[in-house]
Coordinates of all heavy atoms in Angstrom, one line a residue:
M402 N 17.5 18.5 -6.2 CA 18.6 17.9 -5.3 C 19.1 16.6 -5.8 O 18.3 15.8 -6.4 CB 18.0 17.7 -3.9 CG 17.6 19.0 -3.2 SD 16.8 18.7 -1.6 CE 18.0 17.8 -0.7
M403 N 20.3 16.4 -5.7 CA 20.9 15.2 -6.2 C 20.4 13.9 -5.5 O 20.3 12.8 -6.1 CB 22.4 15.2 -6.1 CG 23.0 16.2 -7.0 SD 24.8 16.1 -7.0 CE 25.1 14.5 -7.6
S404 N 20.0 14.0 -4.3 CA 19.5 12.9 -3.5 C 18.0 12.7 -3.5 O 17.5 12.0 -2.7 CB 20.0 12.9 -2.1 OG 19.5 14.1 -1.4
S405 N 17.3 13.4 -4.5 CA 15.9 13.4 -4.4 C 15.3 12.0 -4.7 O 14.1 11.7 -4.5 CB 15.4 14.4 -5.4 OG 15.8 14.0 -6.7
W406 N 16.1 11.1 -5.2 CA 15.6 9.7 -5.5 C 15.4 8.9 -4.3 O 14.8 7.9 -4.3 CB 16.6 9.0 -6.5 CG 18.0 9.0 -6.0 CD1 18.9 9.9 -6.2 CD2 18.6 8.0 -5.1 NE1 20.1 9.6 -5.6 CE2 19.9 8.4 -4.9 CE3 18.1 6.8 -4.6 CZ2 20.8 7.7 -4.2 CZ3 19.0 6.1 -3.8 CH2 20.4 6.5 -3.6
K407 N 16.0 9.4 -3.2 CA 15.9 8.7 -1.9 C 15.4 9.7 -0.8 O 15.9 10.8 -0.8 CB 17.3 8.1 -1.5 CG 17.2 7.2 -0.3 CD 18.5 6.4 -0.2 CE 19.7 7.2 0.1 NZ 20.9 6.4 0.2
R408 N 14.4 9.2 0.0 CA 13.9 10.2 1.0 C 13.8 9.5 2.3 O 13.8 8.2 2.4 CB 12.6 10.8 0.5 CG 11.5 9.8 0.4 CD 10.2 10.5 -0.2 NE 9.1 9.6 -0.1 CZ 8.7 8.7 -1.0 NH1 9.5 8.5 -2.0 NH2 7.6 7.9 -0.8
T409 N 13.5 10.2 3.3 CA 13.3 9.7 4.6 C 11.9 9.9 5.1 O 11.4 11.0 4.9 CB 14.3 10.4 5.6 OG1 15.6 10.1 5.2 CG2 14.2 9.8 7.0
E410 N 11.3 8.9 5.6 CA 10.0 9.1 6.2 C 9.9 8.5 7.6 O 10.7 7.6 7.9 CB 8.9 8.4 5.3 CG 8.8 9.0 3.9 CD 7.6 8.5 3.2 OE1 6.7 7.9 3.8 OE2 7.5 8.8 2.0
V411 N 9.0 9.0 8.4 CA 8.9 8.5 9.8 C 7.6 7.8 10.0 O 6.5 8.3 9.6 CB 9.0 9.7 10.8 CG1 8.8 9.2 12.2 CG2 10.4 10.4 10.6
R412 N 7.7 6.6 10.5 CA 6.5 5.8 10.7 C 6.5 5.3 12.1 O 7.5 4.6 12.5 CB 6.4 4.7 9.7 CG 5.3 3.7 9.9 CD 5.4 2.5 9.0 NE 4.5 2.6 7.9 CZ 4.4 1.7 7.0 NH1 5.2 0.7 6.9 NH2 3.5 1.8 6.0
R413 N 5.5 5.6 12.9 CA 5.5 5.2 14.3 C 6.7 5.6 15.1 O 7.3 4.8 15.8 CB 5.3 3.7 14.4 CG 3.9 3.2 13.9 CD 3.8 1.7 13.9 NE 2.7 1.2 13.2 CZ 2.6 0.0 12.7 NH1 3.7 -0.9 12.8 NH2 1.6 -0.4 12.0
G414 N 7.2 6.8 14.8 CA 8.3 7.3 15.5 C 9.7 6.8 15.0 O 10.7 7.1 15.6
R415 N 9.7 5.9 14.0 CA 10.9 5.3 13.5 C 11.2 5.9 12.1 O 10.3 6.1 11.3 CB 10.8 3.8 13.4 CG 10.9 3.2 14.8 CD 10.8 1.7 14.6 NE 11.1 1.0 15.9 CZ 11.1 -0.3 16.0 NH1 10.9 -1.1 15.0 NH2 11.4 -0.9 17.2
E416 N 12.5 6.1 11.9 CA 12.9 6.7 10.6 C 13.2 5.6 9.6 O 13.9 4.6 9.9 CB 14.1 7.5 10.9 CG 14.4 8.5 9.7 CD 15.6 9.4 10.1 OE1 16.7 8.9 10.0 OE2 15.3 10.5 10.4
Y417 N 12.6 5.7 8.4 CA 12.9 4.8 7.3 C 13.5 5.5 6.1 O 13.1 6.7 5.9 CB 11.6 4.1 6.9 CG 11.1 3.1 7.9 CD1 10.3 3.5 9.0 CD2 11.4 1.7 7.8 CE1 9.8 2.6 9.9 CE2 10.9 0.8 8.8 CZ 10.1 1.3 9.8 OH 9.6 0.4 10.7
L418 N 14.3 4.9 5.4 CA 14.7 5.4 4.1 C 13.8 4.7 3.1 O 13.5 3.6 3.1 CB 16.2 5.0 3.8 CG 17.2 5.8 4.6 CD1 18.6 5.3 4.3 CD2 17.2 7.3 4.2
V419 N 13.4 5.6 2.1 CA 12.5 5.1 1.1 C 13.2 5.4 -0.3 O 13.6 6.5 -0.5 CB 11.2 5.8 1.1 CG1 10.2 5.3 0.1 CG2 10.6 5.7 2.5
Q420 N 13.3 4.3 -1.1 CA 14.0 4.5 -2.4 C 13.1 3.9 -3.5 O 12.8 2.7 -3.5 CB 15.3 3.8 -2.4 CG 16.0 3.9 -3.7 CD 17.4 3.2 -3.7 OE1 18.0 3.1 -2.7 NE2 17.8 2.8 -4.8
P421 N 12.6 4.7 -4.4 CA 11.8 4.2 -5.5 C 12.7 3.3 -6.4 O 13.9 3.6 -6.6 CB 11.4 5.5 -6.3 CG 11.6 6.6 -5.3 CD 12.7 6.2 -4.4
V422 N 12.1 2.2 -6.9 CA 12.8 1.3 -7.8 C 12.0 1.4 -9.1 O 10.8 1.2 -9.2 CB 12.8 -0.1 -7.3 CG1 13.4 -1.0 -8.3 CG2 13.5 -0.2 -6.0
S423 N 12.7 1.8 -10.2 CA 12.0 1.9 -11.5 C 11.7 0.6 -12.1 O 12.3 -0.4 -11.7 CB 12.9 2.7 -12.5 OG 14.0 1.9 -12.8
A424 N 10.8 0.6 -13.0 CA 10.4 -0.7 -13.7 C 11.6 -1.3 -14.3 O 11.8 -2.6 -14.3 CB 9.3 -0.4 -14.7
A425 N 12.5 -0.5 -14.9 CA 13.7 -1.1 -15.6 C 14.6 -1.7 -14.6 O 15.4 -2.6 -15.0 CB 14.4 0.0 -16.4
S426 N 14.6 -1.2 -13.4 CA 15.6 -1.7 -12.4 C 15.0 -2.9 -11.6 O 15.7 -3.6 -10.9 CB 15.9 -0.6 -11.4 OG 16.6 0.5 -12.0
A427 N 13.7 -3.2 -11.7 CA 13.1 -4.3 -11.0 C 13.3 -5.6 -11.8 O 12.5 -5.8 -12.8 CB 11.6 -4.0 -10.8
Q428 N 14.3 -6.3 -11.4 CA 14.6 -7.5 -12.2 C 14.4 -8.8 -11.5 O 14.7 -9.9 -12.0 CB 16.1 -7.4 -12.7 CG 16.3 -6.2 -13.6 CD 17.7 -6.1 -14.1 OE1 18.6 -6.7 -13.6 NE2 17.9 -5.2 -15.0
K429 N 13.9 -8.8 -10.3 CA 13.6 -10.0 -9.5 C 12.2 -9.9 -8.9 O 11.6 -8.8 -8.9 CB 14.7 -10.1 -8.4 CG 16.1 -10.4 -8.8 CD 17.0 -10.4 -7.7 CE 16.7 -11.5 -6.7 NZ 17.7 -11.5 -5.5
E430 N 11.8 -11.0 -8.5 CA 10.5 -11.1 -7.8 C 10.6 -11.0 -6.3 O 11.5 -11.7 -5.8 CB 9.7 -12.4 -8.2 CG 8.3 -12.4 -7.7 CD 7.5 -13.6 -8.2 OE1 7.8 -14.0 -9.3 OE2 6.7 -14.2 -7.4
Y431 N 9.8 -10.2 -5.7 CA 9.9 -10.0 -4.2 C 8.5 -10.2 -3.6 O 7.5 -10.2 -4.3 CB 10.4 -8.6 -3.9 CG 11.8 -8.3 -4.4 CD1 11.9 -7.6 -5.6 CD2 12.9 -8.7 -3.8 CE1 13.1 -7.3 -6.2 CE2 14.2 -8.4 -4.4 CZ 14.3 -7.7 -5.5 OH 15.5 -7.4 -6.1
V432 N 8.5 -10.4 -2.3 CA 7.2 -10.5 -1.6 C 7.0 -9.2 -0.9 O 7.8 -8.8 -0.1 CB 7.2 -11.7 -0.6 CG1 5.9 -11.7 0.2 CG2 7.4 -13.0 -1.4
C433 N 5.9 -8.6 -1.2 CA 5.5 -7.3 -0.5 C 5.0 -7.6 0.9 O 4.1 -8.4 1.1 CB 4.4 -6.7 -1.3 SG 3.7 -5.2 -0.5
P434 N 5.7 -7.0 1.9 CA 5.3 -7.2 3.3 C 3.9 -6.5 3.6 O 3.3 -6.9 4.6 CB 6.4 -6.5 4.1 CG 7.5 -6.2 3.1 CD 6.8 -6.1 1.8
G435 N 3.5 -5.7 2.7 CA 2.2 -5.0 3.0 C 1.0 -5.8 2.7 O 0.0 -5.9 3.5
C436 N 1.0 -6.6 1.6 CA -0.1 -7.4 1.2 C 0.2 -8.8 1.0 O -0.7 -9.7 0.9 CB -0.7 -6.8 -0.1 SG 0.4 -7.1 -1.5
G437 N 1.5 -9.2 1.1 CA 1.9 -10.6 1.0 C 1.9 -11.1 -0.4 O 2.2 -12.3 -0.7
G438 N 1.6 -10.2 -1.4 CA 1.6 -10.6 -2.8 C 3.0 -10.4 -3.4 O 3.9 -9.8 -2.8
A439 N 3.1 -10.9 -4.6 CA 4.4 -10.8 -5.3 C 4.6 -9.4 -6.0 O 3.6 -8.8 -6.5 CB 4.5 -11.9 -6.4
V440 N 5.8 -8.9 -5.8 CA 6.2 -7.7 -6.6 C 7.0 -8.3 -7.8 O 8.1 -8.8 -7.7 CB 7.1 -6.8 -5.8 CG1 7.5 -5.6 -6.6 CG2 6.4 -6.4 -4.5
L441 N 6.3 -8.2 -9.0 CA 6.9 -8.9 -10.1 C 8.0 -8.1 -10.8 O 8.0 -6.9 -10.7 CB 5.7 -9.1 -11.1 CG 4.6 -10.0 -10.7 CD1 3.5 -10.1 -11.7 CD2 5.1 -11.4 -10.4
P442 N 8.9 -8.8 -11.5 CA 9.9 -8.1 -12.3 C 9.3 -7.1 -13.3 O 8.2 -7.5 -13.9 CB 10.7 -9.2 -13.0 CG 10.4 -10.4 -12.2 CD 9.0 -10.2 -11.6
G443 N 9.9 -6.0 -13.5 CA 9.4 -5.0 -14.4 C 8.3 -4.1 -13.8 O 7.7 -3.3 -14.6
V444 N 8.0 -4.3 -12.6 CA 7.0 -3.4 -11.9 C 7.7 -2.4 -11.0 O 8.4 -2.8 -10.1 CB 6.0 -4.2 -11.1 CG1 5.0 -3.4 -10.3 CG2 5.2 -5.2 -12.1
A445 N 7.5 -1.1 -11.2 CA 8.1 -0.1 -10.4 C 7.5 -0.3 -8.9 O 6.3 -0.5 -8.8 CB 7.8 1.3 -10.9
H446 N 8.4 -0.1 -7.9 CA 8.0 -0.3 -6.6 C 8.9 0.6 -5.7 O 9.7 1.4 -6.2 CB 7.9 -1.7 -6.2 CG 9.3 -2.5 -6.3 ND1 9.7 -3.0 -7.5 CD2 10.2 -2.7 -5.4 CE1 10.9 -3.5 -7.3 NE2 11.2 -3.4 -6.0
V447 N 8.8 0.4 -4.4 CA 9.6 1.2 -3.5 C 10.3 0.3 -2.5 O 9.8 -0.8 -2.1 CB 8.8 2.2 -2.7 CG1 8.3 3.3 -3.6 CG2 7.6 1.6 -2.0
L448 N 11.5 0.7 -2.1 CA 12.3 0.0 -1.0 C 12.1 0.8 0.3 O 12.2 2.0 0.3 CB 13.8 0.0 -1.4 CG 14.3 -1.1 -2.3 CD1 15.7 -0.8 -2.8 CD2 14.3 -2.4 -1.5
F449 N 11.9 0.0 1.4 CA 12.0 0.6 2.7 C 13.0 -0.1 3.5 O 13.2 -1.3 3.5 CB 10.6 0.4 3.4 CG 9.5 1.4 3.0 CD1 8.8 1.2 1.9 CD2 9.3 2.4 3.9 CE1 7.8 2.1 1.6 CE2 8.2 3.3 3.5 CZ 7.5 3.1 2.4
W450 N 13.8 0.7 4.2 CA 14.7 0.1 5.2 C 15.1 1.1 6.3 O 14.9 2.3 6.2 CB 15.9 -0.5 4.5 CG 17.0 0.4 4.1 CD1 18.1 0.7 4.8 CD2 17.0 1.1 2.9 NE1 18.9 1.6 4.0 CE2 18.2 1.9 2.9 CE3 16.2 1.2 1.7 CZ2 18.6 2.7 1.8 CZ3 16.6 2.1 0.7 CH2 17.8 2.8 0.7
R451 N 15.5 0.5 7.4 CA 15.9 1.3 8.6 C 17.4 1.7 8.4 O 18.2 0.8 8.2 CB 15.8 0.5 9.8 CG 14.4 0.0 10.1 CD 13.6 1.2 10.7 NE 14.3 1.8 11.8 CZ 14.3 1.3 13.1 NH1 13.7 0.2 13.4 NH2 15.0 2.0 14.0
P452 N 17.7 2.9 8.5 CA 19.1 3.3 8.4 C 20.0 3.2 9.6 O 21.2 3.5 9.6 CB 19.0 4.8 7.9 CG 17.8 5.3 8.7 CD 16.8 4.0 8.7
D453 N 19.4 2.9 10.8 CA 20.1 3.0 12.0 C 20.2 1.6 12.7 O 20.3 1.5 13.9 CB 19.3 3.9 13.0 CG 17.8 3.4 13.2 OD1 17.4 2.5 12.5 OD2 17.2 4.0 14.1
G454 N 20.3 0.6 11.9 CA 20.5 -0.8 12.5 C 21.8 -0.9 13.3 O 22.8 -0.4 12.9
V455 N 21.8 -1.6 14.4 CA 23.0 -1.7 15.2 C 24.0 -2.6 14.6 O 25.2 -2.7 15.0 CB 22.6 -2.3 16.6 CG1 21.7 -1.3 17.4 CG2 21.9 -3.6 16.5
L456 N 23.6 -3.4 13.6 CA 24.5 -4.3 12.9 C 25.3 -3.7 11.8 O 26.1 -4.3 11.1 CB 23.8 -5.6 12.4 CG 23.1 -6.4 13.5 CD1 22.4 -7.6 12.9 CD2 24.1 -6.9 14.6
G457 N 25.0 -2.4 11.5 CA 25.8 -1.7 10.5 C 25.1 -1.6 9.1 O 24.0 -2.2 8.9
D458 N 25.8 -0.9 8.2 CA 25.2 -0.6 6.9 C 24.8 -1.9 6.2 O 23.8 -2.0 5.5 CB 26.1 0.2 6.1 CG 26.2 1.6 6.7 OD1 25.4 2.0 7.5 OD2 27.2 2.3 6.3
E459 N 25.7 -2.9 6.3 CA 25.5 -4.1 5.4 C 24.2 -4.8 5.9 O 23.4 -5.2 5.0 CB 26.7 -5.0 5.6 CG 26.7 -6.1 4.5 CD 28.0 -6.9 4.5 OE1 29.1 -6.2 4.6 OE2 28.0 -8.1 4.4
A460 N 23.9 -4.9 7.2 CA 22.7 -5.5 7.7 C 21.5 -4.6 7.3 O 20.4 -5.1 7.1 CB 22.8 -5.7 9.2
D461 N 21.7 -3.3 7.3 CA 20.6 -2.4 7.0 C 20.2 -2.7 5.5 O 19.0 -2.8 5.2 CB 21.1 -1.0 7.1 CG 21.2 -0.5 8.5 OD1 20.7 -1.2 9.4 OD2 21.8 0.5 8.7
L462 N 21.1 -2.9 4.7 CA 20.8 -3.1 3.3 C 20.1 -4.5 3.1 O 19.2 -4.6 2.3 CB 22.1 -3.1 2.4 CG 22.7 -1.7 2.3 CD1 24.0 -1.7 1.5 CD2 21.7 -0.7 1.6
A463 N 20.6 -5.5 3.9 CA 20.0 -6.8 3.8 C 18.6 -6.8 4.3 O 17.8 -7.7 3.9 CB 20.9 -7.8 4.6
S464 N 18.2 -5.8 5.1 CA 16.9 -5.8 5.7 C 15.9 -5.0 4.9 O 14.8 -4.8 5.3 CB 17.0 -5.3 7.1 OG 17.3 -3.9 7.1
R465 N 16.4 -4.5 3.7 CA 15.5 -3.8 2.9 C 14.3 -4.6 2.5 O 14.4 -5.8 2.3 CB 16.2 -3.3 1.6 CG 17.2 -2.2 2.0 CD 17.8 -1.6 0.7 NE 18.5 -2.7 -0.1 CZ 19.2 -2.4 -1.2 NH1 19.2 -1.2 -1.7 NH2 19.7 -3.4 -1.9
R466 N 13.2 -4.0 2.3 CA 11.9 -4.7 1.9 C 11.4 -4.0 0.7 O 11.4 -2.8 0.6 CB 10.9 -4.6 3.1 CG 11.3 -5.5 4.3 CD 11.3 -7.0 3.9 NE 11.8 -7.8 5.1 CZ 13.0 -8.2 5.2 NH1 13.9 -7.9 4.4 NH2 13.3 -8.9 6.3
H467 N 10.9 -4.8 -0.2 CA 10.3 -4.3 -1.4 C 8.8 -4.2 -1.3 O 8.1 -5.2 -1.0 CB 10.7 -5.2 -2.6 CG 12.2 -5.2 -2.9 ND1 12.7 -4.6 -4.0 CD2 13.2 -5.8 -2.2 CE1 14.0 -4.8 -3.9 NE2 14.3 -5.5 -2.9
W468 N 8.2 -3.1 -1.5 CA 6.8 -2.8 -1.3 C 6.2 -2.4 -2.7 O 6.8 -1.6 -3.4 CB 6.5 -1.7 -0.3 CG 6.9 -2.0 1.1 CD1 8.2 -2.2 1.6 CD2 6.1 -2.2 2.2 NE1 8.2 -2.4 2.9 CE2 6.9 -2.4 3.3 CE3 4.7 -2.2 2.4 CZ2 6.3 -2.7 4.6 CZ3 4.1 -2.4 3.6 CH2 5.0 -2.6 4.7
H469 N 4.9 -2.8 -2.9 CA 4.2 -2.1 -4.0 C 4.1 -0.7 -3.7 O 4.0 -0.2 -2.6 CB 2.8 -2.7 -4.1 CG 2.8 -4.2 -4.5 ND1 2.2 -5.1 -3.7 CD2 3.2 -4.8 -5.6 CE1 2.3 -6.3 -4.3 NE2 2.9 -6.1 -5.5
N470 N 4.0 0.1 -4.8 CA 3.9 1.6 -4.6 C 2.6 1.9 -3.7 O 2.6 2.7 -2.8 CB 3.8 2.3 -5.9 CG 5.1 2.5 -6.6 OD1 6.1 2.4 -5.9 ND2 5.1 2.7 -7.9
H471 N 1.5 1.1 -4.0 CA 0.3 1.4 -3.3 C 0.3 0.8 -1.9 O -0.6 1.2 -1.1 CB -0.9 0.9 -4.1 CG -0.9 -0.5 -4.4 ND1 -0.2 -1.1 -5.5 CD2 -1.4 -1.6 -3.7 CE1 -0.4 -2.4 -5.5 NE2 -1.0 -2.7 -4.4
C472 N 1.2 -0.1 -1.6 CA 1.2 -0.6 -0.3 C 2.2 0.1 0.6 O 2.1 0.1 1.8 CB 1.6 -2.1 -0.3 SG 0.4 -3.2 -1.1
G473 N 3.2 0.7 0.0 CA 4.3 1.3 0.7 C 4.1 2.8 1.1 O 4.9 3.3 1.8
S474 N 3.0 3.3 0.6 CA 2.8 4.7 0.9 C 2.5 4.9 2.4 O 1.7 4.1 2.9 CB 1.6 5.3 0.1 OG 0.5 4.6 0.3
I475 N 3.1 5.8 3.0 CA 2.9 6.0 4.5 C 1.9 7.1 4.7 O 2.0 8.2 4.3 CB 4.3 6.4 5.1 CG1 5.3 5.2 4.9 CG2 4.1 6.7 6.6 CD1 6.7 5.5 5.5
A476 N 0.9 6.7 5.4 CA -0.2 7.6 5.8 C 0.2 8.4 7.0 O 0.9 7.9 7.8 CB -1.5 6.9 6.0
Ligands
ZN1383 ZN1 1.7 -5.0 -1.7

């Protein structure tokens, strides 16, 4: 599927979009909400965000969070 790079997961009844970020695309440092540690440039990780924000797509994108792969996996 063409959209296989992005998927939807449900956590606590809420729908999230999940988008993997490749090591080559990770060019900034972020703080992982899962462990509070740094997601360093050059480290593959995942983006989580809510697609249904009342403020619109732009706010949805601004609310994206960068998680380590091992922190962002949804059990
Ligand atoms: Zn983490």
